């Protein structure tokens, strides 16, 4: 089984955020939440640094426009 913390593009000094391109020590992916289910929909998996993940979450819940 693969580790979602390391499935993004690996770099010797960390992982690359698929949204901003920064090399960071950790990336994340939200796949399930109340009415949000990315596990049943075929799509390209993308992983985000903390800042991009927070921004995507605010957009998803309607607190910020894209």
């Amino acid at each position: 089984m693969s580790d979602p913390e390391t499935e993004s593009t690996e770099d010797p000094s960390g992982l690359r955020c698929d949204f901003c391109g920064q090399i960071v020590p950790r990336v994340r992916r939200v796949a399930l939440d109340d009415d949000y289910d990315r596990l049943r929909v075929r799509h390209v998996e993308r992983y985000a640094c903390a800042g991009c993940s927070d921004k995507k979450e605010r957009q998803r819940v309607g607190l910020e426009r894209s």
Side-chain angles (χ1 to χ4, degrees):
M1 179 178 222
S2 58
D3 180 357
E5 295 280 335
T6 59
E7 285 187 16
S8 187
T9 307
E10 291 193 44
D11 182 276
S13 59
L15 301 167
R16 184 174 306 277
C17 173
D18 291 327
F19 294 88
C20 70
Q22 285 186 343
I23 302 297
V24 294
R26 216 183 279 312
V27 293
R28 60 176 88 149
R29 174 177 176 251
V30 174
L32 286 173
D33 196 10
D34 292 330
D35 60 344
Y36 186 79
D37 183 352
R38 296 292 287 182
L39 297 178
R40 298 175 191 242
V41 179
R42 186 167 230 130
H43 65 285
V44 174
E45 294 177 5
R46 296 173 69 193
Y47 295 85
C49 66
C52 288
S53 181
D54 292 343
K55 181 178 180 177
K56 284 181 51 54
E57 182 66 11
R58 288 190 306 271
Q59 290 171 346
R60 188 178 70 78
V61 299
L63 298 176
E64 186 173 311
R65 291 172 51 169
S66 47

